[in-house]
Amino acid sequence: MACMKLGSKSDAFQRQGQAWFCTTGLPSDIVVEVGEMSFHLHKFPLLSRSGVMERNIAEASKERDDDDDKCLIKISDLPGGDKTFELVARFCYGVKLELTASNVVYLRCAAEHLEMTEEYGEGNLISQTETFLNQVVLRSWKDSIKSLQSCNEVPEYAEELNITKKCIESLATRASTDPNLFGWPVVEHGGGPMQSPGGSVLWNGISTGARLKHTSSDWWYEDASTLNFPLFKRLITVMDSRGIREDIIAGSLTYYTRKHLPGLKRRRGGPEASGRFSTPMSSGSVLSEEEQKHLLEEILELLRMQKGLVPTKFFVDMLRVAKILKASPSCIANLEKRIGMQLDQAALEDLVMPSFSHTMETLYDVDSVQRILDHFLSTDQIMPVGVGSPCSSVDDGNLIGSPQTITPMTAVAKLIDGYLAEVAPDVNLKLPKFQALAASVPEYARLLDDGLYRAIDIFLKHHPWLAETERENLCRLLDCQKLSLEACTHAAQNERLPLRVIVQVLFFEQLQLRTSVAGCFLVSDNLDGGSRQLRSGGFAGGSTEGGGGGWATAVRENQVLKVGMDSMRMRVCELEKECSTMRQEIEKLGKTSKVGGGKTWENVSKKLGFGIKLKSHQMCSAQEGSVSKSNNENVKIEKLKDVKERRGKHKKASSISSER
């Protein structure tokens, strides 16, 4: 920290308890009381430097009695108090003292208060402090920070003398300049070595050739966070007006908030453990709850409503703290809207927030998540073409077709399904809330319904008292065509699901397996034809290393496909047995009804939601073909045409190679 030395005389001041004495050899003739401290001094050094002291001494001399030996002057409103007056007295006596960034503001305000102008002596305290402020303090980041901090103690004088404004302007100028582009002199941030105009480190004025490391744009966050919020807010406002990047300003606001709101302290090792949005290690004095609430609301006003500018975790933490501090409803609604804007960037642990309601109806704040999701859905979300179509087929958890990029809506659907699974074990969670949150996600957003099925299964497990109609209404959210094979297998054996859902799952699983087997047959025929062409082409054109390798690869792939087909056939047989058993049970139930036995299965199938009449032998017999025969025939015709075209191209290539 820079300093400026004043005076040349040796120290002649001594303190005894609550009194200071000047030991110059002459008895003191005046006592100045500043607060609880008394100064036993002499009249001439004080009145020769200060207009106020000159008038006070003259008035005190007129009023004092003849018996009194000393004048008594009381100063109650001196900026900086008794510590500052001690430095002023040393200056008046010409005793050595140092002007620093920590005391120059107090001395400048005290000099103004005491009228220590050039009229009462050349090089008086006002001119000395002004020179030090303008030529030393305001040219240094660290010194400007210290001087600005000291303005908190004398706000009125600092504002009147424009000291606060000058310090803020200086800080904003340096923060808006890239420190890596600084020329001469370099910023002394971090106490680093001096730097030449070329950028090399100087040692005793000689360039060493070494280069300083580049400084990140958040180098000033920690220093700025030491300011009180009114000064920090003014600093950020000036920086914003100077065109500093929005992400840098948002980072400083995030850093300041985490430092002064204890509830925002995050766990170590998280994604924000380092970098621009890291949490400070120490936070100094803790604010009261009312001050924390005011700070939170003020920070929200400074942060711009822009997606991705601040991590979603930060807004979620602020929402949790706002509910603890009982912030205003508008503040909570603002936070929920900000989270909803970038819900696709949130993690599951961010949404699992405890309920802070007095009623404690549920363990988790499901209503808040519902509002956040509604905010996300209200924004303009573009549905990608071909993603999540109801007609998309699923094989082992993957969509058959060209891969699609994960859209924000898809990410949110996966996030909500995970959240539903987390809150489902709460026995106090009512069915309407759970169902409303699950139904809020559009159907096209879910590529698979495995996550939703898992959440519903957990909910049914922890709510066994639900009626059959309630279970059926809840399961209507599921699309059995969008369940993977693993989910279908689990659902077929799940006793908690309604019978109607189990039958639908078995039907679509069998339909899906038959489609897969038919596709494997076509691929097998294609490979067999290609293998024969490859073999004949190899003999005609001469055996080569490439031809032999292709033949061996085709044989291996054919064997692998045959093994897969065998396993699928076994699985189809197992499903047919299960379906046959279930059909027999349904027929037994139908015999007890008033409807005739011949129409039982037809009526039951209609009630189960099938749009077509399924005969028992069409559903359960592996020898009489699949219900989706017409669809598979179209697929076969298209694939056979493709195979013929490939064979024709291969024959032409083989004939050309043989002619050569």
Side-chain angles (χ1 to χ4, degrees):
M1 184 170 59
C3 65
M4 178 179 177
K5 296 183 178 180
L6 301 177
S8 59
K9 298 180 181 179
S10 59
D11 192 1
F13 284 81
Q14 293 182 357
R15 179 175 178 177
Q16 298 178 5
Q18 294 294 319
W20 280 93
F21 296 89
C22 181
T23 59
T24 57
L26 298 175
S28 61
D29 54 3
I30 185 174
V31 177
V32 181
E33 292 184 356
V34 182
E36 298 180 355
M37 189 71 66
S38 60
F39 295 84
H40 299 264
L41 306 173
H42 303 86
K43 297 178 182 178
F44 180 75
L46 298 178
L47 59 87
S48 63
R49 287 289 188 177
S50 170
V52 173
M53 294 301 297
E54 181 183 22
R55 292 193 297 271
N56 290 341
I57 290 174
E59 294 176 1
S61 299
K62 294 178 181 179
E63 295 177 0
R64 78 184 171 92
D65 298 332
D66 297 337
D67 297 334
D68 294 337
D69 296 331
K70 299 180 181 180
C71 293
L72 178 60
I73 298 177
K74 293 183 179 181
I75 303 177
S76 58
D77 55 350
L78 182 70
D82 58 294
K83 294 183 179 179
T84 302
F85 187 79
E86 175 197 346
L87 298 177
V88 171
R90 291 175 182 272
F91 175 80
C92 294
Y93 278 85
V95 177
K96 295 179 181 179
L97 66 95
E98 289 184 352
L99 287 180
T100 64
S102 300
N103 62 25
V104 66
V105 175
Y106 301 119
L107 287 173
R108 175 66 182 88
C109 296
E112 187 71 22
H113 180 79
L114 296 175
E115 299 180 8
M116 300 179 71
T117 62
E118 295 297 304
E119 298 178 1
Y120 296 92
E122 185 178 356
N124 212 342
L125 190 55
I126 290 180
S127 62
Q128 295 286 1
T129 52
E130 277 289 336
T131 301
F132 183 70
L133 271 172
N134 296 327
Q135 297 184 4
V136 179
V137 173
L138 297 180
R139 295 184 179 183
S140 167
W141 170 270
K142 286 286 187 181
D143 291 340
S144 297
I145 284 287
K146 288 185 176 296
S147 296
L148 187 58
Q149 290 172 342
S150 61
C151 291
N152 294 329
E153 305 296 332
V154 286
E156 296 180 1
Y157 280 94
E159 288 292 342
E160 183 180 351
L161 299 175
N162 289 328
I163 299 176
T164 304
K165 181 180 179 181
K166 291 179 180 178
C167 290
I168 290 176
E169 292 286 344
S170 174
L171 294 174
T173 301
R174 296 188 176 276
S176 61
T177 307
D178 187 357
N180 298 314
L181 301 178
F182 282 166
W184 181 272
V186 71
V187 170
E188 70 290 336
H189 168 68
M194 294 184 66
Q195 191 178 10
S196 68
S200 60
V201 179
L202 293 180
W203 182 76
N204 279 353
I206 303 175
S207 176
T208 61
R211 298 279 177 172
L212 290 176
K213 294 182 179 180
H214 288 282
T215 306
S216 60
S217 57
D218 58 355
W219 60 270
W220 52 274
Y221 286 3
E222 175 59 30
D223 292 334
S225 66
T226 59
L227 302 173
N228 65 357
F229 185 73
L231 292 177
F232 177 78
K233 182 178 179 179
R234 290 179 59 181
L235 176 62
I236 292 299
T237 304
V238 175
M239 287 182 176
D240 189 24
S241 64
R242 289 177 176 267
I244 296 183
R245 294 204 322 260
E246 295 178 358
D247 59 324
I248 297 178
I249 293 179
S252 66
L253 292 170
T254 305
Y255 191 97
Y256 189 92
T257 308
R258 289 199 182 283
K259 183 171 184 177
H260 294 279
L261 290 183
L264 292 182
K265 302 290 184 177
R266 297 204 59 83
R267 298 180 294 273
R268 294 183 180 181
E272 301 175 13
S274 61
R276 177 175 299 163
F277 301 100
S278 60
T279 304
M281 296 302 294
S282 59
S283 58
S285 59
V286 179
L287 302 177
S288 64
E289 290 188 2
E290 192 64 27
E291 291 173 336
Q292 292 182 34
K293 183 169 63 174
H294 177 72
L295 173 62
L296 189 146
E297 295 174 351
E298 289 284 343
I299 290 292
L300 275 183
E301 293 181 2
L302 292 176
L303 284 172
R304 294 190 178 181
M305 190 76 71
Q306 180 178 341
K307 181 179 180 180
L309 194 61
V310 175
T312 309
K313 284 182 178 293
F314 176 73
F315 287 132
V316 173
D317 291 341
M318 288 190 71
L319 178 60
R320 176 170 48 84
V321 174
K323 292 182 178 180
I324 294 175
L325 297 175
K326 299 179 181 179
S328 62
S330 60
C331 176
I332 294 177
N334 190 348
L335 284 168
E336 291 176 347
K337 185 177 181 180
R338 290 175 183 268
I339 298 172
M341 286 179 57
Q342 50 193 47
L343 184 59
D344 56 304
Q345 302 175 5
L348 178 58
E349 62 178 3
D350 299 333
L351 295 185
V352 183
M353 297 177 291
S355 177
F356 296 99
S357 175
H358 295 290
T359 58
M360 291 298 293
E361 295 180 355
T362 58
L363 294 177
Y364 305 100
D365 197 348
V366 182
D367 294 334
S368 180
V369 176
Q370 179 70 64
R371 291 191 296 268
I372 291 172
L373 179 60
D374 292 340
H375 283 301
F376 176 80
L377 296 175
S378 63
T379 58
D380 295 332
Q381 302 294 334
I382 302 176
M383 177 181 174
V385 179
V387 178
S389 175
C391 299
S392 301
S393 59
V394 182
D395 184 16
D396 290 336
N398 298 320
L399 285 176
I400 297 177
S402 60
Q404 300 285 348
T405 57
I406 297 179
T407 62
M409 185 67 74
T410 304
V412 169
K414 183 178 179 181
L415 180 66
I416 295 300
D417 289 346
Y419 177 78
L420 289 171
E422 287 291 328
V423 302
D426 184 10
V427 294
N428 295 324
L429 180 59
K430 304 301 181 183
L431 176 61
K433 284 188 177 182
F434 183 89
Q435 194 169 1
L437 183 58
S440 298
V441 180
E443 293 183 2
Y444 69 85
R446 291 188 175 98
L447 303 182
L448 290 174
D449 273 11
D450 289 11
L452 179 60
Y453 166 71
R454 176 173 174 267
I456 291 177
D457 183 42
I458 296 175
F459 187 83
L460 294 177
K461 179 180 178 181
H462 291 84
H463 298 75
W465 54 83
L466 292 178
E468 187 69 17
T469 55
E470 293 178 330
R471 292 171 180 265
E472 290 183 358
N473 291 333
L474 179 60
C475 291
R476 290 182 188 276
L477 298 173
L478 285 174
D479 186 356
C480 297
Q481 299 184 63
K482 295 167 66 175
L483 292 177
S484 64
L485 287 177
E486 292 80 2
C488 287
T489 304
H490 186 276
Q493 304 172 1
N494 194 343
E495 298 178 354
R496 290 185 287 270
L497 295 179
L499 182 61
R500 168 182 169 275
V501 177
I502 296 177
V503 174
Q504 282 187 345
V505 168
L506 288 173
F507 170 75
F508 287 115
E509 184 182 15
Q510 185 184 31
L511 184 62
Q512 181 180 341
L513 283 173
R514 288 183 181 276
T515 305
S516 301
V517 170
C520 289
F521 275 122
L522 290 176
V523 174
S524 178
D525 295 339
N526 188 11
L527 286 177
D528 289 340
S531 300
R532 287 193 294 270
Q533 290 182 4
L534 189 63
R535 189 172 5 178
S536 62
F539 287 126
S543 62
T544 59
E545 295 181 0
W551 168 250
T553 302
V555 172
R556 285 195 300 268
E557 291 179 351
N558 198 5
Q559 292 175 352
V560 171
L561 284 174
K562 287 181 179 179
V563 173
M565 286 162 46
D566 292 338
S567 63
M568 286 188 182
R569 289 192 186 98
M570 295 176 61
R571 177 59 182 158
V572 169
C573 292
E574 293 177 359
L575 288 174
E576 288 175 348
K577 291 179 181 179
E578 294 177 2
C579 186
S580 178
T581 303
M582 186 170 294
R583 180 177 59 84
Q584 294 175 2
E585 293 179 357
I586 294 176
E587 288 178 353
K588 292 179 181 180
L589 292 175
K591 290 179 181 180
T592 60
S593 62
K594 297 181 180 180
V595 185
K599 298 182 179 180
T600 301
W601 171 251
E602 181 178 352
N603 295 331
V604 172
S605 63
K606 289 181 179 179
K607 292 181 179 179
L608 291 177
F610 298 142
I612 57 175
K613 296 181 180 180
L614 297 176
K615 295 182 180 180
S616 60
H617 71 277
Q618 287 179 326
M619 185 174 183
C620 304
S621 176
Q623 298 178 355
E624 293 181 2
S626 171
V627 178
S628 59
K629 182 177 179 181
S630 60
N631 294 334
N632 290 336
E633 288 178 355
N634 295 331
V635 175
K636 287 182 180 180
I637 292 172
E638 293 179 358
K639 292 190 175 181
L640 286 174
K641 289 181 180 180
D642 190 17
V643 170
K644 289 180 180 180
E645 291 178 0
R646 291 183 181 176
R647 287 180 179 178
K649 293 181 181 179
H650 186 74
K651 287 181 180 181
K652 291 181 181 180
S654 300
S655 62
I656 293 173
S657 61
S658 61
E659 290 176 1
R660 292 181 178 176

